[in-house]
């Protein structure tokens, strides 16, 4: 069962490691947390990935979110092709950027103005700088297990014991960056409340994934975000929703719409670029106008608002706007998959939790509900590794880490889901023994 043909992928990985650190350009791709060698992809179409050894997989990561319509969707590909003949970049304004911005402003609640960047990291890092410039304060609160990209202020973990200061969780991040990032547990409003208490008039912003997707899929508990917003406003801090994952995936209006809560600033990435490198951050005009060249907070990008990237993003968002049933379809498919997985796993004695929201879903091998990073860490990684590899060998590409959620794409069919559920039933013995 586990005889996946992977001669060529193995060789390509060896070659890659000679010239790229760890052989990859983003760590999770290297399969470190599940072991084994990564597969190298040759091409993809719709719901399917094809690797260099000729194996076909149903894709449950969709490039970590962007490809909500599946790979090589005609409307996105056409837009890219059409634009590419007109030139790839000018560094001079285009009407396309305004069209794209107007569409984001129309679809995203509470966003008057938006600035485009090239990644989710850039969006979050810029939103935090803007919040600091706007409030004239230095500190931010982030939550353990929430990921906001790899900029220094976010690579921080909780300090030890009673310490309220964060500590760098990567060499190269300085203690002076860390001291301005305060850490709380997700879904723990008391901790937030005491951080505000201990840092009066010093906190510029609270940033969070309103529905978390980087410690598995973890939902905010009743009133958590509403109370968070009240704390921010009582203390003159901004609330930043990192919707890089949830924006244009959970709904056209993202988590703001799903939760009926407006944030002060919102960051986007992933779906917004249709598979090209795009990020964005937006909010009320009074805040956004603090950005250069209108205001004093500097932020820039040679390739920001790149015409090909804008064309792809515009085609994607426009398609979603015109076909809002995509979100219902995705939600139904995700529920169908979850029901199927439940039915299989209930037959055995392994403890597990299945978390989901919209088209995001995660499976944790633990008997405790997964509500924050600590409970997510209790998942049994040995079960997860075997589960991952057994599914891969059966042609189902799941996220190669227990801390990531699946991202369904709408090209996945019910037949694909049946196949996936059936594959799980076939590999159960392998997982538990
Ligand atoms: C992926 C992600 C980011 C970082 O985006 P990149 O484009 O990888 O830089 C930030 N926040 C969240 C919630 C993400 O999922």
């Amino acid at each position: 069962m586990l005889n996946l043909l992977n001669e060529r992928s193995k060789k390509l990985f060896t070659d890659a490691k000679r010239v790229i650190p760890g052989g990859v350009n983003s760590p999770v791709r290297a399969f470190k947390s599940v072991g084994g060698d990564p597969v190298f992809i040759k091409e993809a179409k719709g719901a399917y990935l094809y690797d260099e050894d000729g194996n076909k997989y149903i894709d449950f990561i969709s490039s970590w979110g962007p490809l909500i319509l599946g790979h090589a969707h005609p409307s996105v590909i056409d837009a890219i092709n059409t634009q590419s003949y007109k030139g790839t970049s000018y560094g001079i304004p285009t009407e396309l950027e305004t069209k794209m911005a107007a569409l984001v402003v129309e679809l995203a609640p509470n966003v008057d103005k938006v600035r485009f960047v090239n990644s989710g990291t850039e969006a979050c890092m810029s939103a935090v700088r803007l919040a600091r410039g706007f409030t004239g304060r230095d500190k931010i609160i982030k939550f353990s297990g929430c990921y906001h990209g790899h900029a220094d202020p976010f690579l921080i973990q909780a300090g030890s014991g009673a310490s309220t200061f964060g500590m760098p969780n990567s060499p190269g991040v300085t203690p002076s960056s860390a001291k301005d990032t305060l850490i709380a547990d997700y879904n723990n409003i008391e901790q937030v409340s005491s951080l505000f208490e201990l840092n009066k008039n010093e906190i510029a912003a609270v940033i969070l994934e309103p529905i978390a997707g980087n410690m598995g899929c973890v939902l905010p508990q009743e009133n958590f975000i509403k109370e968070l917003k009240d704390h921010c406003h009582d203390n003159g801090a901004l609330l930043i929703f990192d919707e890089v994952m949830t924006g244009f995936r959970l709904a056209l209006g993202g988590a703001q719409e799903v939760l009926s809560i407006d944030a002060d600033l919102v960051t986007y990435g992933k779906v917004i670029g249709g598979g090209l490198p795009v990020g964005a951050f937006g909010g009320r005009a009074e805040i956004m106008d603090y950005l250069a060249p209108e205001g004093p907070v500097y932020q820039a990008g040679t390739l920001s608002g790149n015409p090909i990237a804008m064309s792809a993003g515009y085609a994607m968002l426009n398609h979603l706007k015109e076909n809002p049933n995509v979100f219902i379809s995705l939600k139904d498919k995700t529920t169908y998959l979850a029901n199927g997985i439940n039915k299989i796993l209930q037959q055995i004695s392994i403890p597990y939790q299945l978390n989901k929201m919209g088209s995001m879903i995660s499976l944790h091998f633990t008997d405790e509900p997964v509500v924050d990073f600590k409970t997510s860490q209790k998942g049994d990684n040995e079960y997860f590794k075997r589960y991952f590899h057994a599914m891969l060998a059966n042609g189902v590409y799941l996220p190669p880490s227990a801390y990531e959620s699946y991202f369904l794409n709408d090209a996945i069919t019910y037949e694909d889901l049946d196949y996936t559920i059936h594959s799980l039933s076939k590999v159960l013995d392998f997982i538990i023994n």
Side-chain angles (χ1 to χ4, degrees):
M1 175 192 64
L2 287 174
N3 291 334
L4 188 66
L5 225 139
N6 64 353
E7 294 294 302
R8 212 174 134 66
S9 278
K10 262 187 189 314
K11 180 187 179 305
L12 291 172
F13 191 43
T14 306
D15 294 347
K17 280 190 286 195
R18 263 184 226 119
V19 286
I20 301 173
V24 293
N25 283 309
S26 200
V28 71
R29 297 177 199 167
F31 280 20
K32 281 261 183 213
S33 70
V34 289
D37 289 337
V39 297
F40 275 58
I41 298 304
K42 188 171 189 179
E43 58 187 307
K45 178 75 189 151
Y48 311 116
L49 298 164
Y50 301 88
D51 75 12
E52 291 278 356
D53 289 283
N55 300 301
K56 175 183 174 185
Y57 309 91
I58 303 168
D59 184 9
F60 284 96
I61 71 167
S62 310
S63 186
W64 299 102
L67 304 171
I68 193 168
L69 303 175
H71 293 273
H73 191 273
S75 59
V76 177
I77 298 302
D78 286 350
I80 293 172
N81 283 341
T82 306
Q83 177 57 40
S84 65
Y85 285 101
K86 300 178 186 168
T88 54
S89 179
Y90 320 118
I92 302 173
T94 58
E95 183 182 5
L96 247 175
E97 291 158 272
T98 310
K99 268 176 72 180
M100 177 67 174
L103 186 54
V104 172
V105 167
E106 178 192 334
L107 300 179
N110 206 35
V111 169
D112 299 331
K113 291 191 178 182
V114 59
R115 166 85 35 106
F116 292 107
V117 293
N118 306 290
S119 69
T121 296
E122 258 190 90
C124 295
M125 148 190 127
S126 306
V128 163
R129 184 183 305 140
L130 176 58
R132 286 171 163 162
F134 183 75
T135 58
R137 299 172 174 185
D138 291 346
K139 294 182 180 175
I140 59 166
I141 296 178
K142 90 169 270 291
F143 295 90
S144 291
C146 280
Y147 181 68
H148 307 295
H150 65 92
D152 286 5
F154 307 124
L155 296 185
I156 311 293
Q157 61 196 2
S160 58
S163 161
T164 55
F165 295 127
M167 311 228 299
N169 67 4
S170 164
V173 176
T174 62
S176 60
S177 306
K179 82 173 179 7
D180 287 328
T181 301
L182 311 171
I183 306 286
D185 289 330
Y186 201 74
N187 278 321
N188 191 326
I189 200 70
E190 287 77 28
Q191 286 184 5
V192 172
S193 173
S194 71
L195 286 175
F196 270 113
E197 200 56 41
L198 289 165
N199 297 273
K200 277 226 173 306
N201 302 322
E202 290 185 279
I203 294 172
V206 175
I207 185 168
L208 88 162
E209 293 177 66
I211 285 112
N214 285 291
M215 46 182 156
C217 176
V218 173
L219 310 192
Q221 286 167 352
E222 183 84 29
N223 287 330
F224 173 61
I225 297 191
K226 197 192 154 297
E227 288 173 24
L228 206 54
K229 183 172 173 172
D230 292 345
H231 275 295
C232 285
H233 288 191
D234 293 347
N235 289 282
L238 301 183
L239 178 63
I240 306 176
F241 273 9
D242 178 352
E243 295 228 42
V244 170
M245 207 175 251
T246 53
F248 310 103
R249 168 162 287 276
L250 293 184
L252 276 176
Q256 289 196 104
E257 177 185 319
V258 172
L259 300 169
S260 303
I261 296 184
D262 285 343
D264 297 303
L265 285 172
V266 189
T267 64
Y268 294 105
K270 300 191 169 117
V271 172
I272 203 174
L276 269 72
V278 180
F281 61 107
R284 292 195 305 279
E286 55 160 335
I287 306 175
M288 293 304 289
D289 284 341
Y290 249 69
L291 281 177
E294 190 84 2
V297 175
Y298 194 68
Q299 193 281 326
T302 301
L303 292 176
S304 293
N306 172 272
I308 298 185
M310 291 292 101
S311 302
Y314 186 81
M316 171 65 87
L317 296 196
N318 209 40
H319 182 95
L320 294 174
K321 178 186 157 186
E322 276 168 10
N323 301 276
N325 54 316
V326 166
F327 299 104
I328 299 164
S329 162
L330 276 168
K331 193 174 175 184
D332 289 347
K333 287 175 185 175
T334 309
T335 304
Y336 185 87
L337 177 64
N339 290 344
I341 294 175
N342 274 325
K343 220 167 144 190
I344 305 290
L345 291 183
Q346 274 156 11
Q347 299 163 12
I348 55 167
S349 57
I350 299 182
Y352 74 95
Q353 308 290 325
L354 196 67
N355 286 5
K356 79 176 170 65
M357 175 73 138
S359 54
M360 292 159 61
I361 182 169
S362 61
L363 179 57
H364 306 260
F365 293 106
T366 166
D367 50 12
E368 244 181 87
V370 173
V371 297
D372 58 14
F373 191 49
K374 283 183 192 140
T375 44
S376 178
Q377 282 176 308
K378 295 202 170 143
D380 184 322
N381 205 45
E382 284 310 309
Y383 283 143
F384 184 84
K385 281 182 186 175
R386 283 184 251 161
Y387 164 65
F388 169 80
H389 279 292
M391 294 300 276
L392 188 72
N394 276 278
V396 178
Y397 196 98
L398 301 175
S401 157
Y403 294 109
E404 305 284 354
S405 43
Y406 311 5
F407 300 105
L408 270 67
N409 65 70
D410 203 37
I412 293 176
T413 63
Y414 281 92
E415 269 177 5
D416 294 329
L417 296 175
D418 283 336
Y419 175 86
T420 303
I421 296 161
H422 179 65
S423 298
L424 177 60
S425 72
K426 276 199 329 198
V427 304
L428 262 192
D429 277 349
F430 175 78
I431 298 173
I432 53 182
N433 292 312

